[in-house]
Amino acid sequence: MGICDGILTSAVQAATESGASRIERIEVSIGELTEVMDDALRFAFEALKEGTMAEGAELVVHYVEARSQCTECGAVFRHDRFDPKCPECGSYVITLVQGRELRIDAIDVE
Amino acid sequence: MRIDIAKDVLARNDALADENRRRFADAGVFVVDLMASPGAGKTTTILATIAALRDRYRIAVIEGDIASRVDAEKISEHGIPAVQINTGGACHLESAMIRRAIDQLDLDALDLIIVENVGNLVCPTEFDLGEHAKVMILSVPEGHDKPYKYPGIFEISEAVILNKYDTRSVFDFDEDEFRSVVGRLNPRAPIFPMSAKTGEGVEAWVAWLSERIESAQGGGSHDAR
Ligand SMILES: [Zn+2]
């Protein structure tokens, strides 16, 4: 799976550059509007980390809720994907502020 | 020791997608990425699109598949260059695979590349290939409630083809409900009811596609998404 591969590649690269020998923990942020499923991600991580510096690493996932700002009245609000309507003024003209993240935040290395 | 990275997981894919995008722009070729479940009629839709547009545009096809090359052979039989990408088990195409595929094509001799993505409604949505438009094909037998299960692909598609439209009475497809959900997820995407097999409704789809090709080729600006 490409997303998991991207996480591991970035982590191993950063660890190698810092002269570390082992990755203990990888922290990522995943937006709830992405198509990443927790089970699938963890399954792929377990399979792909074998034989890498991250073999013993723990994957910590921070899920980021969807928030948008109303273009009409400026309100910032949480919403689900099927009803992104401003609770203040009822407008559907909104700009997504967060919720589509696929980001590797930090790693702990030894 | 803690190391801050704060980097997009798909940064490498996106950088290669940008490179692909530049190559397409330089050659003046429009690229559409078709996504659908297995059995939705991707290959039939591609063949119908080729039949309708081959006199006006020089077309090639990039076929993504987990393992076989059956579809590429079907396309080649019609005298259209087809490159097969076997993803080796991966459930989606990535920009690096597209880069290898376009190395096998003469981009300057093309106006349109149709990419057939791997049959999957989840993973392809996250991967920018450098294409101009992602288009999804839903077939009537899959049901009008599909957008509730796979909202991401409807959000990211610039148009939705509703294929096998001739079977709608058999499958009790609630078109109003379907249009209302897709409209909420993606108010800008047109929906094209059609039957790639009978040819019904294909005209509206190819008219939209032609318009996009013309504006990409004529406009000079290639802001993809
Ligand atoms: Zn508002």
Side-chain angles (χ1 to χ4, degrees):
Chain A
M1 184 190 185
I3 288 162
C4 191
D5 187 49
I7 293 171
L8 273 167
T9 307
S10 295
V12 168
Q13 192 187 346
T16 309
E17 280 167 11
S18 77
S21 59
R22 225 164 60 80
I23 301 173
E24 290 172 336
R25 188 178 150 96
I26 302 177
E27 283 186 44
V28 298
S29 290
I30 308 275
E32 66 179 7
L33 295 186
T34 66
E35 294 299 295
V36 176
M37 284 169 299
D38 196 67
D39 284 356
L41 181 65
R42 289 179 190 283
F43 180 80
F45 183 74
E46 292 306 313
L48 290 173
K49 73 180 187 181
E50 295 274 324
T52 74
M53 282 169 78
E55 193 153 26
E58 171 196 16
L59 179 68
V60 179
V61 183
H62 305 290
Y63 281 93
V64 183
E65 61 184 27
R67 284 184 171 273
S68 286
Q69 179 160 37
C70 174
T71 310
E72 308 285 325
C73 77
V76 174
F77 57 97
R78 169 161 174 44
H79 57 83
D80 75 6
R81 65 204 312 169
F82 295 104
D83 198 23
K85 181 169 112 177
C86 174
E88 301 295 325
C89 73
S91 170
Y92 279 96
V93 185
I94 58 167
T95 307
L96 191 71
V97 177
Q98 60 174 55
R100 290 209 58 92
E101 293 76 6
L102 278 175
R103 189 178 61 227
I104 174 161
D105 297 320
I107 55 175
D108 289 342
V109 297
E110 196 172 74
Chain B
M1 183 177 61
R2 186 173 174 86
I3 305 172
D4 283 321
I5 299 183
K7 188 171 142 191
D8 196 290
V9 169
L10 299 180
R12 193 171 154 275
N13 181 75
D14 292 348
L16 288 178
D18 284 339
E19 267 178 42
N20 291 344
R21 198 163 5 251
R22 267 193 300 276
R23 288 175 69 181
F24 298 144
D26 289 346
V29 55
F30 184 86
V31 181
V32 62
D33 173 19
L34 292 181
M35 306 173 296
S37 299
K42 285 196 295 296
T43 306
T44 317
T45 298
I46 291 171
L47 290 173
T49 307
I50 289 171
L53 294 180
R54 65 180 307 157
D55 293 340
R56 285 170 65 191
Y57 302 113
R58 299 164 298 173
I59 307 172
V61 174
I62 296 176
E63 281 285 340
D65 198 36
I66 291 179
S68 79
R69 59 165 293 114
V70 177
D71 291 339
E73 279 161 9
K74 254 187 242 164
I75 308 283
S76 302
E77 278 168 22
H78 292 77
I80 296 290
V83 179
Q84 180 89 38
I85 304 174
N86 286 334
T87 61
C91 46
H92 58 272
L93 292 174
E94 296 183 13
S95 53
M97 302 174 189
I98 295 296
R99 180 165 74 168
R100 287 195 293 276
I102 58 183
D103 284 342
Q104 299 172 54
L105 291 168
D106 180 4
L107 291 187
D108 289 322
L110 294 172
D111 302 304
L112 170 66
I113 298 177
I114 303 172
V115 177
E116 176 173 343
N117 216 313
V118 178
N120 176 344
L121 296 185
V122 179
C123 311
T125 62
E126 303 295 350
F127 290 84
D128 182 4
L129 306 178
E131 74 278 79
H132 294 80
K134 286 185 184 290
V135 170
M136 97 143 293
I137 306 171
L138 181 83
S139 63
V140 163
E142 294 173 75
H144 57 259
D145 54 351
K146 208 85 176 201
Y148 288 114
K149 295 178 198 154
Y150 302 97
I153 197 163
F154 290 91
E155 286 166 353
I156 203 164
S157 294
E158 289 188 32
V160 176
I161 292 174
L162 181 55
N163 197 24
K164 306 190 186 178
Y165 192 61
D166 49 323
T167 68
R168 64 193 178 280
S169 55
V170 185
F171 288 98
D172 255 344
F173 189 90
D174 187 339
E175 190 175 344
D176 290 340
E177 169 81 5
F178 176 72
R179 284 183 179 274
S180 128
V181 189
V182 174
R184 263 179 284 159
L185 288 169
N186 188 347
R188 292 165 309 278
I191 297 172
F192 299 111
M194 66 183 229
S195 166
K197 210 168 148 190
T198 68
E200 176 195 354
V202 171
E203 254 168 60
W205 149 243
V206 297
W208 179 87
L209 184 59
S210 303
E211 215 168 90
R212 291 295 312 264
I213 297 169
E214 303 292 335
S215 74
Q217 291 188 330
S221 116
H222 289 269
D223 181 26
R225 294 202 282 168

